[in-house]
Amino acid sequence: MIKLTGVTKTYQSRDIKTHALIDIDLEIDEGEFVVILGPSGSGKITLLNVISGLDRTTTGSITFRGKELTGLSDSEMTHFRRQHLGFIFQQYNLLQNLTVYENIQVGAEIGTDPLDIDELLAKIGLEKMRNKYPSQLSGGAQQRVSVARSLAKNPAIIFCDEPTGFLDEENSKNVLKLLQDLNREYKKTIVVITHNLGISEMSDKVIKMNSGRIIEVTINETQKNAQDIQWGKGSDLLCCRKM
């Protein structure tokens, strides 16, 4: 689905060069649940940004279903993101003057083949709160609305940047279960950036980064259900083998 070949990203400030990504080769297959792990400064967020076209590579090639992305103009890349990609962030970024239904509708209206909003409300368990405003919802509920808004336009792939960063364990696992359901039932490709090693236990592929490089790629032989992962604890990933 997505292939990166020899990708680098270098930032320059006056005479100082920062190599955020160094010689990245990576493939993400259709329908995979992928977790990218790494400490602060490891390059994981930069990797997400270049894969999703939010930032440009310095060198290298990125293709999506065989289509070269690195040569697209800004307007072409914007169109590509609108058509194919969904984003979920730590902050919910909901429009406070719109209801739950209307926030999800915003996502649906930018898609060419949107999903049914009522079905999405049922999926996130908020049918009875469709006319509530974000300020009337818990943090976990707001993040579920954010997930539904991202899915509403029916993207091929959903990028998640620390989607449970502001939530407690219970609400985090509810949001992760929703992402897992989207992956299994809607066959959506999910890419999650996180520092929480436990989340990797529910993924198909785990990418570990450090100092701008991919240091290890592992494949989970089995995937835990979101509710069963170890929360906030390290894992030796014995369920995995090196790719």
Side-chain angles (χ1 to χ4, degrees):
M1 184 181 201
I2 296 177
K3 184 176 182 179
L4 286 72
T5 306
V7 167
T8 68
K9 179 63 182 179
T10 303
Y11 298 100
Q12 184 156 358
S13 177
R14 296 184 179 181
D15 296 330
I16 300 175
K17 286 187 177 181
T18 302
H19 301 287
L21 296 176
I22 304 170
D23 197 25
I24 299 293
D25 294 320
L26 176 66
E27 291 190 27
I28 296 174
D29 296 329
E30 200 92 35
E32 275 193 317
F33 195 118
V34 178
V35 166
I36 302 177
L37 291 170
S40 297
S42 63
K44 62 184 185 295
I45 294 177
T46 304
L47 180 60
L48 180 146
N49 287 342
V50 298
I51 294 175
S52 62
L54 293 174
D55 201 355
R56 297 282 186 176
T57 64
T58 301
T59 62
S61 170
I62 300 177
T63 60
F64 175 83
R65 292 175 176 168
K67 177 183 177 66
E68 179 68 44
L69 300 181
T70 42
L72 296 182
S73 67
D74 289 344
S75 61
E76 288 171 332
M77 183 57 74
T78 297
H79 177 74
F80 168 77
R81 286 196 300 268
R82 287 171 62 96
Q83 188 173 16
H84 296 289
L85 309 184
F87 295 90
I88 301 166
F89 301 100
Q90 286 187 57
Q91 296 181 331
Y92 319 128
N93 296 322
L94 299 178
L95 298 173
Q96 297 298 310
N97 61 331
L98 298 182
T99 64
V100 166
Y101 184 95
E102 291 166 339
N103 266 283
I104 299 173
Q105 189 175 38
V106 168
E109 288 178 347
I110 63 175
T112 56
D113 183 28
L115 299 178
D116 184 85
I117 298 176
D118 289 317
E119 290 183 8
L120 287 175
L121 282 168
K123 170 59 65 178
I124 65 175
L126 293 179
E127 309 101 305
K128 296 181 179 179
M129 297 188 180
R130 59 187 289 132
N131 295 319
K132 298 284 187 181
Y133 291 91
S135 62
Q136 298 173 295
L137 303 179
S138 68
Q142 289 186 64
Q143 188 64 301
R144 281 184 281 157
V145 176
S146 178
V147 171
R149 180 185 58 188
S150 177
L151 183 64
K153 69 175 181 179
N154 200 13
I157 182 168
I158 299 175
F159 293 99
C160 310
D161 181 5
E162 296 283 5
T164 61
F166 291 153
L167 303 177
D168 59 23
E169 179 178 347
E170 180 180 359
N171 280 307
S172 293
K173 287 186 174 181
N174 288 337
V175 168
L176 290 170
K177 182 182 184 303
L178 177 56
L179 292 175
Q180 196 168 53
D181 289 345
L182 298 179
N183 173 252
R184 292 174 174 176
E185 297 176 24
Y186 288 87
K187 309 302 180 184
K188 297 299 179 184
T189 304
I190 308 287
V191 178
V192 177
I193 300 292
T194 184
H195 64 274
N196 188 335
L197 191 57
I199 296 176
S200 67
E201 297 174 324
M202 57 183 281
S203 69
D204 299 303
K205 181 181 291 181
V206 185
I207 300 164
K208 292 183 180 179
M209 297 193 68
N210 197 21
S211 300
R213 298 181 184 273
I214 293 176
I215 59 173
E216 185 177 73
V217 177
T218 56
I219 302 296
N220 281 345
E221 300 290 359
T222 58
Q223 296 77 42
K224 286 188 177 182
N225 292 324
Q227 300 292 343
D228 298 328
I229 65 174
Q230 300 181 68
W231 191 251
K233 296 181 180 180
S235 170
D236 55 11
L237 295 180
L238 291 176
C239 57
C240 306
R241 62 175 172 83
K242 288 187 179 180
M243 186 177 181

